[in-house]
Amino acid sequence: MSTTTPAPAGTPVPPGPLRAARELVPLLARGAEQGERDRRLTEETVKALAGAGLFKLAVPKRYGGHEASLRTLVDVTSTLAEGDGSSAWVVGVCNSVAWVVSLFPERAQDELFGADPEAKVSGVLTPSATATKVEGGYRVSGRWHYASGAWHADWALIGFPVPDGTGEIVDQGMALLPAADYTVEESWFVAGMRATGSNCVVAEDVFVPDHRVLSVPKAMAGEYPPQRSGSSLARSAFTQFLTGAPLAAPQLGLGRAALDLVRTQAAAKAFTFTFFEKQRDSAAFQLRVAEAALRIDSAELHLYRAADDIDAAARGLPLDALGRLRARTDLSAAVGYVTEAVDILLTAHGAGGFAETSPLQRIWRDSAVGARHAILQPQMIKEMYGKALLGVEEQISPLV
């Protein structure tokens, strides 16, 4: 597990994707401001991430991917967020959706990763669409908001209500569309995570063959089609896997970056309206930094417990409902701790942190926007976890 304090001199550099992610942090930090202005990652950033193989961490090995565990995805995306939250978010989303693709029938996987192992896939599961059953598949029309990474994606995963031949809705599905079948409508005008380009995907009466459709309820229940590789990765818990890397891990990296920035500048920054020449000399400031560091450490502990539980379950017995809810609660708690830590750090650092030239204000905005993702709502998740702990059978969400 990584730490929020600097590694001792001589600490071995971890191999593979994590080392690549660490080496990219300075480049991502340099491109963050331009990405915000353009509301998309810079081409240099995308090229560097792709060149390091970080868009294919969850792609099956038989297509040249890493088929990495959730823990590795968390390691990589949290590290990338130390340089730029939007870059980490897009990498996390694309890899999580790539993992979903690995659950589809192998004919679909062959069409996607078999044709292009470097393919990037964005995704929105909300069934904001209409569909008609036709021979061999469906005709689908719809608009899917908040498709992170859509500018750079080659495919999109979209949700839709599945009808039978009479038009009656019999399931909720997700389908794979190649970029040629949809357009991207620019609609992502927000306060933070601006460079994720989480725009609207629009499709009009496109044909989706049966083999590119998967049932969402069955996926949530762990009922995946048999896979040729037999990898344990394809048995991970659906909602938890989708939440960990793209949503919670970037928060951890943003918290680390905020702490590092405030600690570094405290050695030279005055403590206004006090007799302290430097912030670091004040006990009040020291306490605030300690409080923030403790919350970031708590976030890390919860995030990695969830990732390890999910990975262990994929290798052995699947998590039961209580185990899945504890993992979701861990992930949500991690995000909450980081939100608190960043607020403490901003107050300790002072109003200068809100200057447009300060990276701290971008970290704060990115963290605040990312923490409000609907799937991470802390009170809802706590209610679900509390009901499970008490044996209350009432279900308030399908995302268990």
Side-chain angles (χ1 to χ4, degrees):
M1 183 181 298
S2 58
T3 66
T4 55
T5 53
T11 299
V13 177
L18 180 54
R19 180 170 62 185
R22 286 188 177 175
E23 291 173 349
L24 285 176
V25 167
L27 182 145
L28 300 184
R30 289 195 299 272
E33 187 176 344
Q34 184 65 48
E36 276 217 312
R37 283 198 296 269
D38 297 343
R39 293 195 300 278
R40 68 178 72 192
L41 302 183
T42 68
E43 290 305 315
E44 182 185 21
T45 293
V46 174
K47 185 176 180 181
L49 292 168
L54 299 187
F55 284 115
K56 56 181 183 180
L57 295 176
V59 173
K61 287 182 179 177
R62 63 178 179 276
Y63 301 115
H66 294 281
E67 206 167 296
S69 66
L70 179 57
R71 188 183 179 94
T72 298
L73 293 177
V74 167
D75 279 338
V76 168
T77 48
S78 63
T79 299
L80 295 175
E82 294 175 23
D84 177 35
S86 289
S87 296
W89 187 279
V90 170
V91 168
V93 167
C94 287
N95 276 294
S96 292
V97 180
W99 171 75
V100 176
V101 175
S102 76
L103 308 179
F104 274 71
E106 291 181 354
R107 182 179 173 187
Q109 296 181 50
D110 289 345
E111 289 177 351
L112 203 160
F113 292 129
D116 181 7
E118 306 290 336
K120 295 178 282 296
V121 193
S122 65
V124 181
L125 290 182
T126 306
S128 52
T130 58
T132 304
K133 184 76 179 88
V134 296
E135 184 177 355
Y138 302 87
R139 309 253 3 148
V140 178
S141 298
R143 301 169 61 84
W144 296 269
H145 284 281
Y146 312 137
S148 298
W151 288 133
H152 310 288
D154 306 289
W155 288 72
L157 177 81
I158 53 92
F160 73 103
V162 179
D164 62 14
T166 69
E168 181 181 357
I169 304 302
V170 294
D171 198 0
Q172 181 182 337
M174 46 187 165
L176 292 167
L177 305 181
D181 282 356
Y182 63 83
T183 58
V184 178
E185 182 178 288
E186 189 166 17
S187 58
W188 186 244
F189 301 97
V190 292
M193 291 289 186
R194 291 177 177 173
T196 60
S198 302
N199 292 299
C200 181
V201 166
V202 182
E204 184 65 34
D205 194 30
V206 298
F207 175 70
V208 181
D210 287 325
H211 66 272
R212 283 199 226 134
V213 174
L214 202 65
S215 167
V216 173
K218 287 183 178 178
M220 289 181 178
E223 297 176 24
Y224 308 135
Q227 302 297 324
R228 186 167 62 228
S229 69
S231 165
S232 63
L233 188 66
R235 293 194 293 274
S236 289
F238 187 81
T239 304
Q240 290 72 16
F241 195 97
L242 283 183
T243 309
L247 308 186
Q251 294 291 324
L252 179 59
L254 289 168
R256 288 176 184 154
L259 178 61
D260 183 63
L261 187 151
V262 171
R263 288 174 60 209
T264 301
Q265 295 195 3
K269 194 172 187 297
F271 201 156
T272 308
F273 302 127
T274 74
F275 294 117
F276 294 109
E277 292 186 1
K278 310 298 179 191
Q279 288 182 328
R280 61 175 296 177
D281 298 329
S282 160
F285 184 85
Q286 294 160 7
L287 287 171
R288 283 177 172 172
V289 168
E291 289 170 1
L294 182 62
R295 282 168 172 77
I296 294 168
D297 286 344
S298 297
E300 189 169 290
L301 291 168
H302 279 279
L303 177 53
Y304 278 99
R305 183 172 77 164
D308 289 345
D309 283 353
I310 295 164
D311 283 341
R315 294 190 298 269
L317 292 175
L319 291 171
D320 60 13
L322 185 61
R324 293 197 298 274
L325 285 171
R326 190 180 82 162
R328 282 198 73 193
T329 307
D330 276 345
L331 296 170
S332 178
V335 172
Y337 281 128
V338 171
T339 301
E340 293 172 1
V342 172
D343 283 346
I344 291 170
L345 290 166
L346 267 166
T347 302
H349 183 75
F354 293 100
E356 290 184 356
T357 55
S358 172
L360 192 56
Q361 50 81 27
R362 183 173 57 251
I363 292 170
W364 170 60
R365 289 185 288 105
D366 285 350
S367 175
V369 170
R372 269 66 178 187
H373 194 285
I375 206 170
L376 292 172
Q377 289 300 310
Q379 298 308 321
M380 180 193 71
I381 293 173
K382 286 177 183 174
E383 181 180 348
M384 294 170 67
Y385 189 38
K387 288 181 187 298
L389 288 169
L390 296 169
V392 178
E393 294 182 354
E394 181 189 9
Q395 191 169 347
I396 64 171
S397 168
L399 304 179
V400 177

